[in-house]
Amino acid sequence: MRIRGYRRPDGKFGIRNHVLILPCSVCAAETARLAAEGQKGVIYLPNQGGCSLSRKDLEVTLETLSGIAANPNIYGTVLLGNGCEVVQARLLAERIREKTNKPLFSFVIRQEGGSLKTAERVRAEAARLRREADQVPVETAGCEELVVGTECGGSDPTSGLAANPVVGSCADLLIAQGATVILSETPEMIGAEKILAARCASEEIKTRLLTMIREYEEDFIRVSENPRSGNPTPGNLEGGITTLEEKSLGCIHKAGSTPVNGVAGYGEALPARGLVVMDTPGQDIASMMGMAAAGAQLILFTTGHGTPTGSAVAPVIKITANPETARLMAEHTDFDCSSVLTGGEEIGRAGRRLLEQIEKTACGELTRAEKLGFGEVSLARYCNFA
Amino acid sequence: MSADKEKMTVPGMRKKRTAGVLLHPADQVLTLTEAVHKGDTVFYPAAEGEEEVAAREDIPKYHKIARRPIACGQDVFKYGEVIGRAVKPVYPGEWVHVHNLKSVSATEREKDEDKRV
């Protein structure tokens, strides 16, 4: 498989060519919106955080936002802060510089004399970057340049039965061609940790994976939730899921069958190629941001119920095996594999079809969410009491 | 309404044929894409071509049906992985759910907790 896109000065390869306006905090978000308004090819991240952060959350936020700026789908970034937030523009700029040498500019609202003046300058800088970005020649590259995130949301029995196995079979094909695939959503791994652990490439990776899942479970218990006692839920049982292993297996099946080569914290740079597990929350948007921050240029999103979800940074291919959803949510469905359930299509065959869809998207074909201009943003957060 | 008529298990009437999904060749269970009634034939594409099993009881949509005999205490495979252990002998065509299949993750985990220092 060949992909088409843009070579970045840091050596990475993007399949989109966005200019990013990145507010450091919620207090700079509206100014960023003003600056981005009406500019084609310029995206802005409606950051809802960036201040009143615990030390751990500051670290997670810096890591994620800098990772987003470093994502290969981004040509260059204009940062802006209010000036008093915990995520200081200078601090974030330093973190971005550690990850990439792509174009980067930074503004502080108070120093510029308010939002209108700042928005004007940010707008002008973004427009200049946009003109530069348009000069970048389109090149082709191999599958090994691709980092693909996997996600599921609005799941129903068809997700674990067909959509996730189809993505898993496609993940195997991608990895065989040198791509990296990320399995996300730690809460979905509870109950299937032994199966995942048995697939780890080394003892060290195995220990890290089991620790990650255990800590997530302990966090659940700390807030009086027990992920094991209520699972499978009555709805799951009615839908044919008998055991927790079976439920979690349905989810982790998105990762295919290759060894787990590494484990990454939320939004962290990936430690290995091939299949990597990332510690992300169950909330789809925050989970996808974590993977985009780790460099995913594309996300495979399985859904039973159907969802409008997109991502500002990485195109999201939405996949369903529910024939009703494919019909009712046609404007949100990029890939329909309901034929696995209704027409006897083999899972492997649907996986190969999905690979063809990925190739198209990775060569510039817009996803449904991109056509709608949807770019949801959410950052994971541990503590809300700082 | 003809579909409903087909599902009835009147002697002599042609039995309904329903598709099942085999997720991995090692699996002893299939997942049904439609509800089946006792006597219905469930067919599924397998590695060596189409295979089939007759339902021994009524089973709801998206639930599991055994395609191979499973001994009591034996691991039950779906997705090519263990999803639990049979707590009763299971015959081909039987419904596989909470009455004959139990999770092993809970008990295994307790053992792990004991080992942890």
Side-chain angles (χ1 to χ4, degrees):
Chain A
M1 180 172 101
R2 300 291 292 174
I3 60 175
R4 281 162 62 81
Y6 313 86
R7 182 69 61 189
R8 303 303 178 201
D10 58 15
K12 302 225 173 77
F13 193 83
I15 59 167
R16 295 293 183 268
N17 199 25
H18 301 304
V19 169
L20 174 67
I21 296 179
L22 180 58
C24 295
S25 66
V26 63
C27 303
E30 286 295 275
T31 309
R33 181 178 58 80
L34 284 182
E37 233 162 36
Q39 290 205 72
K40 259 194 125 180
V42 175
I43 59 171
Y44 95 100
L45 236 65
N47 185 353
Q48 293 297 303
C51 203
S52 303
L53 298 172
S54 67
R55 193 181 300 218
K56 187 174 177 183
D57 276 323
L58 171 61
E59 188 46 44
V60 168
T61 306
L62 282 173
E63 192 65 19
T64 312
L65 293 179
S66 61
I68 293 295
N71 184 291
N73 288 350
I74 305 292
Y75 169 78
T77 301
V78 188
L79 270 183
L80 68 156
N82 185 46
C84 54
E85 58 267 89
V86 174
V87 176
Q88 290 278 297
R90 182 185 47 77
L91 208 60
L92 181 53
E94 277 171 18
R95 190 62 76 96
I96 295 170
R97 273 285 162 259
E98 286 170 19
K99 293 186 178 179
T100 180
N101 57 353
K102 291 189 293 193
L104 176 66
F105 296 91
S106 173
F107 296 93
V108 173
I109 293 172
R110 185 183 155 94
Q111 283 173 14
E112 297 301 322
S115 285
L116 293 178
K117 284 179 183 165
T118 310
E120 213 35 63
R121 290 204 61 186
V122 169
R123 190 181 183 79
E125 209 59 69
R128 202 176 58 71
L129 287 182
R130 184 64 258 162
R131 286 193 295 276
E132 284 179 18
D134 290 336
Q135 304 301 311
V136 180
V138 176
E139 295 173 29
T140 62
C143 194
E144 69 281 359
E145 304 273 1
L146 211 50
V147 178
V148 177
T150 62
E151 184 66 39
C152 48
S155 299
D156 74 3
T158 65
S159 304
L161 193 53
N164 291 344
V166 166
V167 167
S169 124
C170 186
D172 285 349
L173 297 173
L174 283 165
I175 290 169
Q177 293 194 40
T180 295
V181 174
I182 311 175
L183 174 68
S184 68
E185 293 187 291
T186 316
E188 311 284 8
M189 298 172 202
I190 296 171
E193 57 269 75
K194 282 187 168 292
I195 292 150
L196 266 182
R199 280 174 52 187
C200 286
S202 74
E203 280 302 309
E204 194 190 332
I205 296 166
K206 188 173 172 176
T207 305
R208 185 141 191 232
L209 178 87
L210 290 173
T211 307
M212 174 192 100
I213 299 173
R214 197 181 63 236
E215 284 177 354
Y216 206 103
E217 189 170 0
E218 284 166 1
D219 283 344
F220 262 131
I221 291 162
R222 210 166 289 130
V223 292
S224 310
E225 291 285 341
N226 187 343
R228 279 170 207 274
S229 71
N231 255 317
T233 63
N236 293 148
L237 291 169
E238 202 180 315
I241 303 282
T242 310
T243 64
L244 180 63
E245 299 90 303
E246 185 182 6
K247 179 180 177 175
S248 294
L249 263 169
C251 301
I252 67 164
H253 225 79
K254 296 193 296 296
S257 61
T258 63
V260 176
N261 287 344
V263 176
Y266 181 80
E268 270 178 21
L270 301 180
R273 302 176 64 91
L275 178 62
V276 176
V277 174
M278 179 174 279
D279 186 13
T280 74
Q283 205 256 54
D284 310 333
I285 317 294
S287 180
M288 292 196 296
M289 284 313 275
M291 292 190 280
Q297 303 108 317
L298 190 131
I299 289 162
L300 303 178
F301 189 114
T302 61
T303 178
H305 182 265
T307 157
T309 303
S311 159
V313 185
V316 178
I317 297 179
K318 287 201 297 290
I319 299 154
T320 191
N322 183 326
E324 281 280 281
T325 298
R327 189 172 58 78
L328 289 171
M329 299 287 266
E331 71 180 30
H332 301 299
T333 304
D334 295 281
F335 187 81
D336 173 2
C337 55
S338 57
S339 48
V340 170
L341 300 179
T342 58
E345 185 180 22
E346 211 202 325
I347 284 164
R349 189 168 172 274
R352 289 193 293 279
R353 263 201 309 127
L354 178 57
L355 190 69
E356 286 167 19
Q357 180 59 53
I358 291 170
E359 186 165 16
K360 283 184 200 156
T361 305
C363 287
E365 188 182 288
L366 295 182
T367 60
R368 300 283 180 166
E370 282 179 299
K371 283 179 188 161
L372 290 166
F374 288 0
E376 285 87 335
V377 168
S378 175
L379 295 180
R381 189 171 171 146
Y382 290 92
C383 169
N384 284 313
F385 310 110
Chain B
M1 289 302 106
S2 62
D4 286 338
K5 268 187 194 163
E6 262 189 308
K7 277 184 193 174
M8 285 164 54
T9 53
V10 179
M13 186 179 260
R14 193 177 165 273
K15 300 289 192 290
K16 193 176 186 296
R17 279 169 60 82
T18 306
V21 178
L22 175 65
L23 287 157
H24 191 277
D27 296 355
Q28 311 105 318
V29 296
L30 307 168
T31 308
L32 297 172
T33 57
E34 273 176 72
V36 297
H37 286 74
K38 185 176 175 179
D40 285 352
T41 302
V42 178
F43 67 93
Y44 54 97
E48 303 84 27
E50 195 174 285
E51 293 182 23
E52 56 180 51
V53 60
R56 285 175 182 247
E57 55 196 316
D58 293 357
I59 309 175
K61 184 177 181 176
Y62 296 136
H63 282 241
K64 295 176 288 297
I65 180 171
R67 69 175 188 121
R68 299 272 184 265
I70 308 167
C72 182
Q74 201 185 341
D75 285 342
V76 176
F77 284 79
K78 180 183 168 185
Y79 300 108
E81 302 282 359
V82 177
I83 58 164
R85 199 164 286 155
V87 291
K88 282 180 191 160
V90 181
Y91 298 95
E94 283 186 352
W95 184 16
V96 179
H97 201 31
V98 288
H99 58 283
N100 53 15
L101 170 64
K102 291 279 179 282
S103 166
V104 286
S105 97
T107 47
E108 295 277 319
R109 185 167 174 84
E110 279 157 23
K111 281 185 222 153
D112 282 355
E113 292 291 317
D114 294 343
K115 269 185 256 165
R116 261 171 64 204
V117 188

